[in-house]
Amino acid sequence: LVGNAAGQILFCLVAWRSFDGEHFPDVSEVERWRYTVGHHVSWTDLGTSASLASLVCGNYRSLALGTDQRALAEQIEQYSEGLVPNLDLPQGPLLSALVISVWFLVIVREYKETLSFMSGIAVAHWQGRGKGIRHTKFRTTEGSLRFISLSLGHVLGMGVIVIVRVFIASTLLYVGAKWLANTTSVEEMILNASALSFILEFDEALFFSM
């Protein structure tokens, strides 16, 4: 349990510091490049007399300069491309909203499982107290472990673990939603959502590998 909590907290710290995600530059940054570099006479194409900005926006594939801007333009085009022809439904925002909604449901499931676990701990404790048993007692039946009662110390220990899990889930909800919202690549949205789910499944992977 300690190793699981430590591993997930470590993942949360890395996520908090690193999962800022990609993001499109500000309009002012693009305009600054357009007016200072994109339309500067020094970068005009000698063959066509077209400005660098025109070549970038015209999907010119043989650029020696402005390749970052060309890649950005392609990314924006893909992000804002209509999902359905003749309908103003850009696929980027729609997919972003979808994966964030699914991520929210994943965290809600984690909350429910955690609260269900704590509820079972509390029931075992109070049932034991009702029988006059104040220490932890369990029995093994056909390979399964059944708690008859739990001591107050064990209940408090489990409560600390529940608080840690709720904290981890809440942190991942915020950081993950921010990361997914800032992801500008349509292909990477699904991959990023899967990467976030891996953090929540770390405890199961650790348990089954022991």
Side-chain angles (χ1 to χ4, degrees):
L1 293 176
V2 175
N4 169 45
Q8 289 191 323
I9 290 175
L10 178 61
F11 276 124
C12 280
L13 292 176
V14 173
W16 188 273
R17 295 177 60 89
S18 305
F19 285 3
D20 289 335
E22 303 174 1
H23 57 84
F24 291 122
D26 295 335
V27 176
S28 59
E29 297 178 15
V30 178
E31 289 181 343
R32 187 182 307 113
W33 177 88
R34 177 183 179 185
Y35 293 124
T36 59
V37 178
H39 287 295
H40 197 279
V41 66
S42 301
W43 310 115
T44 300
D45 183 69
L46 298 179
T48 61
S49 299
S51 65
L52 181 58
S54 299
L55 296 176
V56 168
C57 296
N59 199 21
Y60 191 74
R61 298 292 181 177
S62 300
L63 288 175
L65 298 171
T67 53
D68 291 342
Q69 285 71 26
R70 178 60 231 154
L72 175 62
E74 290 179 349
Q75 203 169 23
I76 293 176
E77 289 173 3
Q78 184 184 30
Y79 191 85
S80 58
E81 182 180 357
L83 187 63
V84 180
N86 301 323
L87 289 179
D88 189 17
L89 294 174
Q91 62 179 354
L94 287 176
L95 183 58
S96 179
L98 178 61
V99 294
I100 290 174
S101 299
V102 173
W103 177 239
F104 175 77
L105 294 177
V106 170
I107 296 297
V108 169
R109 184 189 65 182
E110 179 72 10
Y111 284 147
K112 292 180 65 176
E113 291 177 353
T114 302
L115 294 178
S116 177
F117 169 77
M118 192 61 204
S119 176
I121 295 296
V123 168
H125 172 70
W126 288 110
Q127 284 183 346
R129 288 180 64 92
K131 298 176 182 179
I133 305 174
R134 296 182 178 272
H135 60 278
T136 299
K137 184 178 180 181
F138 61 89
R139 65 184 178 188
T140 304
T141 305
E142 297 180 355
S144 62
L145 189 66
R146 181 176 181 272
F147 283 94
I148 300 174
S149 65
L150 284 171
S151 66
L152 181 60
H154 285 157
V155 172
L156 293 177
M158 293 297 103
V160 172
I161 293 176
V162 166
I163 292 174
V164 171
R165 289 186 64 87
V166 170
F167 169 76
I168 291 173
S170 301
T171 302
L172 288 176
L173 175 61
Y174 170 75
V175 176
K178 181 180 178 182
W179 189 35
L180 293 173
N182 287 334
T183 301
T184 57
S185 173
V186 174
E187 293 85 357
E188 290 182 0
M189 286 186 189
I190 303 298
L191 297 177
N192 291 348
S194 301
L196 288 170
S197 298
F198 163 76
I199 301 177
L200 285 179
E201 295 173 358
F202 175 76
D203 55 342
E204 296 182 7
L206 182 64
F207 174 78
F208 286 110
S209 64
M210 298 298 288

